[in-house]
């Protein structure tokens, strides 16, 4: 089982590396008055990290709300 998990991790890592290498073109990102040019791969990474952080924060908020609510 450990060998299978290692193989899966290696395949996923290789796929992510290919994704980043193939998406190094610069893109312009605009948000309200802010604008920046960055590689598409970096933008994907930033969006992924922001999604993880917001998902974790939402999960923690929902967990706290469930613990506070009295059971009927």
């Amino acid at each position: 089982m450990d060998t299978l998990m290692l193989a899966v991790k290696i395949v996923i890592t290789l796929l992510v590396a290919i994704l980043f290498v193939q998406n190094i073109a610069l893109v312009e990102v605009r948000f309200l008055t802010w604008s920046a040019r960055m590689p598409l791969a970096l933008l994907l990474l930033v969006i992924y990290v922001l999604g993880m952080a917001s998902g974790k924060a939402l999960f923690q908020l929902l967990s706290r709300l469930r613990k506070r609510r009295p059971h009927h």
Side-chain angles (χ1 to χ4, degrees):
M1 187 66 163
D2 290 336
T3 307
L4 177 64
M5 288 305 295
L6 179 61
V8 169
K9 289 177 183 179
I10 289 172
V11 168
I12 290 172
T13 301
L14 287 173
L15 290 174
V16 170
I18 292 168
L19 177 75
F20 278 90
V21 169
Q22 290 183 340
N23 289 288
I24 58 172
L26 288 178
V27 294
E28 184 174 355
V29 179
R30 292 186 219 168
F31 181 72
L32 299 175
T33 60
W34 178 77
S35 177
R37 290 186 59 82
M38 64 179 67
L40 180 58
L42 178 60
L43 178 62
L44 292 171
L45 180 64
V46 168
I47 290 170
Y48 177 74
V49 169
L50 289 174
M52 284 189 346
S54 62
K56 183 177 180 180
L58 180 61
F59 181 76
Q60 288 176 342
L61 175 65
L62 292 175
S63 294
R64 286 183 191 159
L65 290 175
R66 282 190 198 136
K67 287 179 183 177
R68 279 186 176 174
R69 203 166 103 198
H71 297 284
H72 293 285

